[in-house]
Amino acid sequence: MSVSENFVGVVIITIVVLMGWMIIQTNNINQSINLAETNEIFYQQEKLNNDISVILKTTEPITNLTIEKIIGDLVYSRTTKINHAEQEINMKDYIERYLDSIFGKENYYLLIQPPLDRVRLIYVIDGSQTMQEHIEFIRNMLPELKINIQELYGSDRDLIVETKIYLLQGPREHDLSCEKMEMIDDCFDIPLAYEIGGLNNNQIFEIPDSNDLYTKYFSETIKNPLSEFFPGFIKNTEFPKGMSYEDWATGVAFVAKHIEERSIDNPEDPTMTIIIPISDEPTSGAEANKCFDLDNFFVGMPFIKCSLCAENDDESKERANKFLSHAINVLRDYDYLVFPMAMQPGHILPNPIINSLSPCNAYDSERGVHGSEDIRSFIINQMQQIADATGGQVLDFSDIEDDEIDESLLLDVFSEVIGNLTNLEFGTKKENIERFSIRRVFPLGNNSLANLTIWVYREREFHDILTFEAINLKPVPIIYTSENWGESPLNIFIDGRASWDPNASYPLMLEWKIIDNISKTIIYENDTNTHFEFEFSAPRDEIRTFDINLVVTDSTGLSASTTRQITISNTEPKMQLYVISIEDNHPDFEFRANLQTEQFLKNIDCRDEIKVVYISPEQLTCPESFIGCENTISNFDPNYNKNRDRIAAFRVGNFWGGAAAGYTRMGANVVFSTSNPNRKEVLAHELGHTYYACEEYNTSWWIQQDISLRRNGIVGGCINDFPKECGFDSTRVTGSNYFLGKAPTNINFVDGFCTGNSLGLFGSRLQHTLNCNDLATTEQNNIMLSNTCGNNIIDPQETVTTCFLDNRSQLLYDCPGSPVYNDFGELVGFSAMGGPLPTAQTFEHFYVGRMKDTINEMICGDN
Amino acid sequence: MLGTKKYLLNNRGIYSLFSAFILIIVLITAVLLIIYLGLSSEIEARITSEQTSVLQQSNNVRNQIVSCWKEFSYDELSSRNVDSANLDIINKCVPNLASGYEIKSFGFFGCREDNWEFGNNANCNKRTSYLTNIIGSQGQKCLGQLLICFGD
């Protein structure tokens, strides 16, 4: 082999080696590039995570909430708008513009997905004759709809779709007379609606023959006068008729309640419930009320005669609206969405001969009963109301034949609905484009967590943050006045300097007007003062009101106004309230007493006619005695009027060794109250008793006092309503004042029960009327629960008082305690200590809700 | 034999041409390899030093600045900007890797637009930006931006 051949061989081997090295080096470079890209994504994601945290923590000035909280509330409340100073603001658009300015328009996509494990579609179907064809259609369509929704939304988030059907079945099928008030009890033994079991893929529903749980539930719940259902559409309505198979609004309310009763909802199993009433009639039916009065007109033809009088019958509309408003009130307690479905009306065309004989003369031969424009617009209006109240929307198929409603049409509607309701999106979603993305959890308004996904597209990764044009909001005018009412003449300091502008568009211009509301004249006008004093006066024996009007204009020219009313009295007061101490040493007396008097007066509509007379401890005190204190005041002020005035006597601490924050007697003129600033509700509560208001926070005590008042000749007993909110809706034991309740399972009711629960003996131990046989008839282990508002209100200050009695022995008589007498000296029980007093929170809820009106009437009424 | 010799001479000519061709190929390959070697080293160095480390460094610098300030507020930013006694503190908050930084507040949501500079922000080879909250006088959290300057 020659040298040259060896040389060539070496060269070739060298080239091969070098080529191999090049390949390895190229691979290294590729790996480096990949690593660099991975690192870049990692660090960019870290940066993006930081940026999104900053964005979400930023404070929005209109609501003074963080962006995170606002978005969470938007998702939770399923709304996009808020109202601010008479301006409606679309918060979603507002926040989207904010994000646009940061990331660049169409350069990002932000998705908030609240937790959702289940979508429950519950259909409440009008089971009337004209709906029969629709029912067939619905029966065939629903299974496929369910499957498609499951596929559409269940695939990427493990969503379960459930379907349940309630078919409304009216009493008229059984007896038309059920719709008459005097027969109403019998009607309730007939099922109003049937529950149809869960709908499987190929299952069709059938009406069960027997009266199952649903019937029992309905009878027990609706017949109970304390039931949430009862007052709205039977007891207190002037229109008891109805309760028929068309009553879809009541059916929806019932279903909502039914779901809750069965404890189907589990907070750890987030569920969206959509209730879909389906009908071609107004709730309670389209029949005129006059129809119900025709029993003897067309004997044996109830259905036909009822078809004659539907047109222009305002009474039946009012009846239907009563049912609707009650249903809406029930639904407000639930987080369920109602999507009413209006079907094409079935036209009922009665015999023309019969019609000519009709006393109603309201039949339209072409449009029939349900199909008239009048009734159709009424149906849609009703459905719109219930949809608006619950965040749903109306599915109006009233102009579409059934065979034209294909399943895809409904699927589109529900897809959009479920999609819109579950997710909140900002920016633009671009699937096939290079982007940085992060996913993280996001807090919602109900303490649950949603998923947050944000994409930032790489094509426009680097850009300047643009100017964000905030909503130019109106300024917020605020008027401060040193007094709002008083006796003439009254000098009042008026100040508008607290007015502000959310956009900081200062300076603000303030324009004042004071208007005499009687003469309608402007008595003061000024556009330079920010604050000033003004003397108001009223003629002798007159009460005058004045409007202070402030218009505030910001530097951009936007303005807003507010008005505050001043009342000046120059008349005899409706009541004089003497405020006095029973202790010489009473620190901050006027401040403490004022807290209590204000709490009382703020709920009195005629407060401007009540004169409060403060008597300082240095000036005078009164003894802790009803007669003694009243004598002190009558000697102090000859104008004291025993029939009109009240005396509030305060001490620093509690009474009766600390057991009571205040006390008085029914109908007395003097009340004793602690001046403890934390118990500012006590005076108002005790003053309520002086007007024969009974305990508004305790069912047992209310009953006790009501009985006592009636025995002592107070016609009508307690002036305030029975505080059923404090109690429970279970059945009252026949012939007694007791109610059934479930006892906690962790209490030993046999030995040592009373000693272990000594707090709860007052108010429930009405031994003189207790009949253990009553309790023995119950189904709840013969345990009775005394109920107070403490059971319903979460309040750490509240002493939750319950007392459990065991009919198997006389243990309750062995309980420790001292005799407790009512306001008329009757023994009502034994108490180890006093029962619960209302706290500020319970007071606000119950006093204002239940006692205010009656007290107002007593004090402010003409008599 | 002559014939044979002539034949051999002719063969040598072919071999020399072939050898020359191989030599040229080898030389070209060697040159390409040297160029490739130089370029690939430079590419790799750039990838690792710039694209990766700058982002990492930038995030680290941002974290150092934030932890140094605890939180940004209009009051504190303004006071440190004008108070010469605080210069040492300011300098401590400028990490060695960066030559300086700037904090801008945006006039969003009723907040005041402003900016504050720390260290040397004049000759930046690279600037990175991060969003940050700036506490307003009423306790509200305004939107701001932290711009980090990497100098020579």
Side-chain angles (χ1 to χ4, degrees):
Chain A
M1 190 177 284
S2 68
V3 174
S4 62
E5 285 170 334
N6 286 335
F7 175 72
V8 169
V10 169
V11 166
I12 290 170
I13 290 168
T14 306
I15 288 172
V16 168
V17 170
L18 285 173
M19 291 295 282
W21 178 82
M22 281 175 69
I23 291 167
I24 293 168
Q25 185 65 11
T26 305
N27 192 41
N28 285 342
I29 292 171
N30 284 336
Q31 282 184 354
S32 298
I33 290 170
N34 289 337
L35 181 64
E37 284 178 352
T38 306
N39 283 339
E40 185 191 9
I41 290 169
F42 174 79
Y43 292 117
Q44 286 286 8
Q45 284 178 333
E46 186 182 326
K47 177 180 179 305
L48 185 57
N49 210 18
N50 161 76
D51 286 355
I52 196 72
S53 293
V54 170
I55 290 166
L56 294 174
K57 285 189 173 66
T58 306
T59 311
E60 193 286 318
I62 303 170
T63 56
N64 203 28
L65 298 172
T66 62
I67 298 296
E68 182 175 71
K69 182 81 172 72
I70 292 170
I71 292 177
D73 288 347
L74 291 182
V75 174
Y76 182 61
S77 63
R78 304 188 190 107
T79 181
T80 56
K81 293 172 183 169
I82 65 165
N83 284 305
H84 171 77
E86 301 168 357
Q87 273 178 290
E88 187 179 72
I89 301 166
N90 187 322
M91 288 305 282
K92 181 179 180 294
D93 289 351
Y94 184 39
I95 290 171
E96 191 158 55
R97 287 200 293 113
Y98 169 63
L99 296 171
D100 285 352
S101 68
I102 296 168
F103 293 113
K105 198 172 175 63
E106 298 186 357
N107 192 37
Y108 71 98
Y109 172 66
L110 176 63
L111 171 68
I112 314 289
Q113 288 179 301
L116 184 63
D117 290 347
R118 263 194 308 179
V119 170
R120 189 191 292 133
L121 300 170
I122 298 178
Y123 299 88
V124 178
I125 303 175
D126 166 1
S128 65
Q129 185 194 38
T130 57
M131 282 291 292
Q132 292 309 310
E133 289 185 7
H134 296 311
I135 289 171
E136 284 298 312
F137 154 73
I138 291 162
R139 184 170 68 183
N140 294 329
M141 180 265 298
L142 291 186
E144 194 173 352
L145 180 66
K146 175 188 169 183
I147 292 167
N148 284 326
I149 292 175
Q150 176 80 57
E151 285 177 355
L152 199 60
Y153 288 96
S155 56
D156 64 339
R157 57 192 304 170
D158 295 329
L159 187 72
I160 298 168
V161 180
E162 294 176 351
T163 305
K164 191 174 274 289
I165 297 170
Y166 289 82
L167 184 65
L168 300 178
Q169 182 75 14
R172 201 166 59 189
E173 294 291 335
H174 306 266
D175 184 355
L176 183 65
S177 62
C178 286
E179 289 166 342
K180 289 196 169 297
M181 187 62 180
E182 60 268 25
M183 300 293 289
I184 208 76
D185 280 349
D186 295 334
C187 291
F188 284 119
D189 288 331
I190 299 166
L192 179 68
Y194 291 101
E195 177 190 358
I196 310 300
L199 190 70
N200 295 323
N201 295 349
N202 299 314
Q203 184 183 343
I204 60 171
F205 55 84
E206 294 175 353
I207 298 172
D209 293 330
S210 61
N211 292 351
D212 60 0
L213 173 68
Y214 195 98
T215 310
K216 184 180 175 189
Y217 177 90
F218 228 68
S219 301
E220 289 182 355
T221 307
I222 300 222
K223 286 174 73 174
N224 184 350
L226 296 179
S227 157
E228 186 179 5
F229 278 89
F230 194 89
F233 67 101
I234 298 297
K235 186 180 180 184
N236 295 332
T237 180
E238 298 168 13
F239 305 102
K241 299 156 185 173
M243 289 292 293
S244 61
Y245 33 43
E246 302 94 347
D247 195 0
W248 48 265
T250 305
V252 168
F254 176 82
V255 165
K257 181 93 175 152
H258 197 206
I259 294 168
E260 186 200 41
E261 293 281 330
R262 290 186 163 196
S263 301
I264 292 170
D265 285 339
N266 178 357
E268 294 175 0
D269 182 17
T271 299
M272 172 186 289
T273 300
I274 300 176
I275 305 177
I276 305 143
I278 306 177
S279 180
D280 63 344
E281 290 188 64
T283 193
S284 86
E287 290 88 347
N289 267 25
K290 291 175 188 174
C291 298
F292 298 104
D293 299 327
L294 299 180
D295 271 352
N296 299 320
F297 194 78
F298 296 117
V299 178
M301 292 183 288
F303 184 75
I304 293 174
K305 66 180 169 48
C306 279
S307 306
L308 302 178
C309 314
E311 285 284 328
N312 303 315
D313 182 81
D314 292 336
E315 200 180 40
S316 71
K317 288 179 184 169
E318 195 177 344
R319 167 168 55 97
N321 279 336
K322 287 244 179 189
F323 289 14
L324 180 76
S325 62
H326 177 67
I328 288 173
N329 279 338
V330 172
L331 288 165
R332 286 190 202 288
D333 290 341
Y334 303 98
D335 189 25
Y336 302 148
L337 306 160
V338 179
F339 284 75
M341 195 184 290
M343 304 303 282
Q344 192 176 51
H347 296 209
I348 295 178
L349 302 174
N351 186 313
I353 299 171
I354 295 175
N355 183 55
S356 66
L357 298 172
S358 163
C360 313
N361 194 25
Y363 162 62
D364 183 313
S365 59
E366 292 181 1
R367 294 177 297 182
V369 175
H370 305 167
S372 72
E373 283 305 316
D374 179 45
I375 292 295
R376 287 176 64 181
S377 64
F378 184 66
I379 297 167
I380 298 299
N381 178 274
Q382 281 208 312
M383 290 186 165
Q384 194 64 54
Q385 283 185 56
I386 202 167
D388 289 346
T390 58
Q393 65 185 54
V394 176
L395 311 174
D396 185 0
F397 299 127
S398 60
D399 284 332
I400 305 176
E401 294 287 347
D402 281 357
D403 53 11
E404 293 172 11
I405 307 174
D406 64 14
E407 179 266 334
S408 64
L409 183 63
L410 272 178
L411 183 64
D412 288 346
V413 172
F414 281 111
S415 297
E416 187 183 345
V417 165
I418 295 170
N420 287 343
L421 291 177
T422 53
N423 299 336
L424 188 66
E425 296 172 289
F426 300 92
T428 309
K429 187 174 186 180
K430 302 177 189 173
E431 293 280 3
N432 301 314
I433 192 165
E434 200 174 354
R435 63 187 179 240
F436 298 112
S437 68
I438 56 169
R439 281 173 70 92
R440 53 191 277 182
V441 292
F442 184 89
L444 291 181
N446 59 347
N447 296 325
S448 61
L449 294 174
N451 288 323
L452 177 148
T453 304
I454 184 162
W455 297 350
V456 176
Y457 306 121
R458 198 167 181 167
E459 61 178 354
R460 293 179 56 203
E461 176 192 348
F462 301 105
H463 68 94
D464 292 330
I465 291 179
L466 306 172
T467 302
F468 167 58
E469 290 182 14
I471 298 170
N472 191 7
L473 294 165
K474 291 179 181 178
V476 181
I478 295 174
I479 301 173
Y480 165 81
T481 55
S482 58
E483 308 282 348
N484 293 331
W485 58 277
E487 290 182 50
S488 176
L490 185 64
N491 206 36
I492 294 181
F493 175 67
I494 300 164
D495 195 342
R497 286 176 292 184
S499 303
W500 63 289
D501 189 83
N503 305 97
S505 301
Y506 297 114
L508 301 177
M509 191 174 80
L510 277 59
E511 296 173 76
W512 297 95
K513 278 181 191 166
I514 300 178
I515 301 155
D516 183 330
N517 283 331
I518 301 294
S519 63
K520 302 292 179 192
T521 53
I522 299 171
I523 57 174
Y524 178 84
E525 203 165 5
N526 183 286
D527 60 3
T528 54
N529 286 343
T530 55
H531 55 288
F532 56 97
E533 285 192 4
F534 191 82
E535 186 177 281
F536 293 85
S537 61
R540 181 73 190 159
D541 294 331
E542 280 191 27
I543 298 171
R544 281 279 167 102
T545 59
F546 302 88
D547 280 348
I548 303 174
N549 178 256
L550 171 64
V551 178
V552 176
T553 307
D554 67 17
S555 61
T556 68
L558 275 183
S559 62
S561 68
T562 187
T563 300
R564 172 160 289 201
Q565 194 170 77
I566 301 290
T567 304
I568 303 297
S569 168
N570 203 353
T571 62
E572 282 292 309
K574 292 272 191 188
M575 167 196 177
Q576 290 193 125
L577 180 63
Y578 294 89
V579 177
I580 192 167
S581 172
I582 60 173
E583 294 173 322
D584 293 333
N585 182 18
H586 201 135
D588 301 325
F589 171 71
E590 187 162 340
F591 167 75
R592 286 162 163 251
N594 189 49
L595 285 178
Q596 301 238 0
T597 51
E598 274 302 310
Q599 183 74 24
F600 169 65
L601 291 171
K602 78 177 189 179
N603 291 309
I604 302 298
D605 293 338
C606 61
R607 62 174 292 166
D608 51 294
E609 296 178 73
I610 295 177
K611 184 177 179 183
V612 179
V613 181
Y614 282 101
I615 303 167
S616 70
E618 295 79 20
Q619 191 179 2
L620 189 69
T621 58
C622 78
E624 189 188 335
S625 147
F626 286 97
I627 296 173
C629 195
E630 191 167 7
N631 285 340
T632 302
I633 294 300
S634 60
N635 291 332
F636 169 76
D637 184 359
N639 290 324
Y640 171 71
N641 182 334
K642 189 177 179 65
N643 297 321
R644 178 194 65 184
D645 299 337
R646 294 292 184 272
I647 300 163
F650 289 97
R651 65 173 295 171
V652 175
N654 279 4
F655 299 87
W656 305 350
Y663 70 97
T664 186
R665 288 176 179 161
M666 288 286 183
N669 281 46
V670 183
V671 300
F672 296 99
S673 171
T674 176
S675 65
N676 182 346
N678 295 325
R679 299 302 303 268
K680 61 183 180 181
E681 77 285 353
V682 176
L683 173 64
H685 172 84
E686 301 300 343
L687 283 173
H689 288 318
T690 70
Y691 293 98
Y692 301 112
C694 300
E695 305 297 5
E696 75 280 19
Y697 60 95
N698 185 305
T699 53
S700 298
W701 296 9
W702 188 96
I703 292 169
Q704 171 62 40
Q705 289 168 347
D706 189 57
I707 293 168
S708 299
L709 285 173
R710 290 171 195 274
R711 283 180 184 168
N712 285 274
I714 305 300
V715 177
C718 302
I719 62 164
N720 54 326
D721 289 342
F722 177 70
K724 71 184 174 78
E725 295 92 336
C726 300
F728 30 81
D729 288 339
S730 52
T731 311
R732 186 170 167 167
V733 177
T734 308
S736 82
N737 296 319
Y738 299 101
F739 295 84
L740 292 180
K742 268 190 177 170
T745 55
N746 59 347
I747 293 178
N748 177 2
F749 291 102
V750 185
D751 296 325
F753 165 70
C754 289
T755 52
N757 294 274
S758 59
L759 277 178
L761 305 179
F762 186 35
S764 63
R765 293 195 51 193
L766 307 175
Q767 292 94 333
H768 59 292
T769 57
L770 176 64
N771 180 349
C772 288
N773 291 330
D774 290 338
L775 297 174
T777 64
T778 71
E779 300 171 357
Q780 312 263 345
N781 297 325
N782 303 322
I783 299 300
M784 192 200 75
L785 167 64
S786 163
N787 210 46
T788 75
C789 293
N791 291 329
N792 297 345
I793 293 176
I794 299 167
D795 180 358
Q797 295 181 49
E798 180 79 52
T799 306
V800 178
T801 301
T802 53
C803 184
F804 303 92
L805 305 179
D806 184 354
N807 79 315
R808 291 171 293 182
S809 69
Q810 297 296 308
L811 276 176
L812 65 143
Y813 294 108
D814 300 328
C815 293
S818 54
V820 175
Y821 300 93
N822 68 11
D823 297 318
F824 298 99
E826 297 170 330
L827 177 67
V828 295
F830 295 85
S831 174
M833 13 182 337
L837 284 168
T839 63
Q841 289 90 336
T842 59
F843 174 81
E844 285 293 340
H845 184 71
F846 290 101
Y847 178 85
V848 174
R850 305 207 64 82
M851 290 177 75
K852 177 176 175 268
D853 290 344
T854 46
I855 299 296
N856 260 329
E857 194 179 322
M858 298 292 286
I859 299 175
C860 304
D862 291 337
N863 298 322
Chain B
M1 291 296 288
L2 282 173
T4 304
K5 191 176 181 181
K6 189 178 180 181
Y7 172 80
L8 286 173
L9 280 172
N10 288 339
N11 281 349
R12 272 194 205 106
I14 290 167
Y15 282 126
S16 62
L17 281 174
F18 180 71
S19 298
F21 174 73
I22 293 296
L23 188 62
I24 289 167
I25 294 295
V26 168
L27 287 174
I28 291 170
T29 307
V31 169
L32 286 175
L33 278 172
I34 290 166
I35 293 169
Y36 176 78
L37 188 64
L39 283 177
S40 64
S41 301
E42 194 178 338
I43 289 166
E44 194 170 359
R46 275 191 187 176
I47 288 167
T48 50
S49 67
E50 289 185 16
Q51 292 195 20
T52 305
S53 63
V54 168
L55 272 172
Q56 183 180 6
Q57 284 175 16
S58 180
N59 285 358
N60 290 339
V61 168
R62 179 254 170 207
N63 293 339
Q64 286 179 49
I65 294 169
V66 170
S67 65
C68 177
W69 281 85
K70 310 299 182 199
E71 66 177 18
F72 299 113
S73 70
Y74 280 88
D75 290 346
E76 198 165 353
L77 284 165
S78 300
S79 68
R80 286 200 183 185
N81 222 14
V82 296
D83 185 359
S84 59
N86 280 320
L87 273 175
D88 286 346
I89 300 170
I90 296 166
N91 289 333
K92 279 180 186 173
C93 288
V94 180
N96 294 331
L97 291 167
S99 58
Y101 60 92
E102 182 181 351
I103 297 169
K104 287 168 67 175
S105 71
F106 299 99
F108 295 178
F109 292 142
C111 295
R112 192 178 79 236
E113 192 172 336
D114 209 336
N115 77 303
W116 302 268
E117 291 190 25
F118 302 95
N120 178 13
N121 292 280
N123 300 310
C124 306
N125 286 336
K126 185 171 178 66
R127 281 164 74 93
T128 52
S129 78
Y130 297 85
L131 295 179
T132 189
N133 286 126
I134 300 172
I135 310 297
S137 56
Q138 307 296 319
Q140 78 274 28
K141 288 186 173 175
C142 296
L143 185 72
Q145 192 175 26
L146 170 65
L147 294 156
I148 302 171
C149 172
F150 293 93
D152 295 328

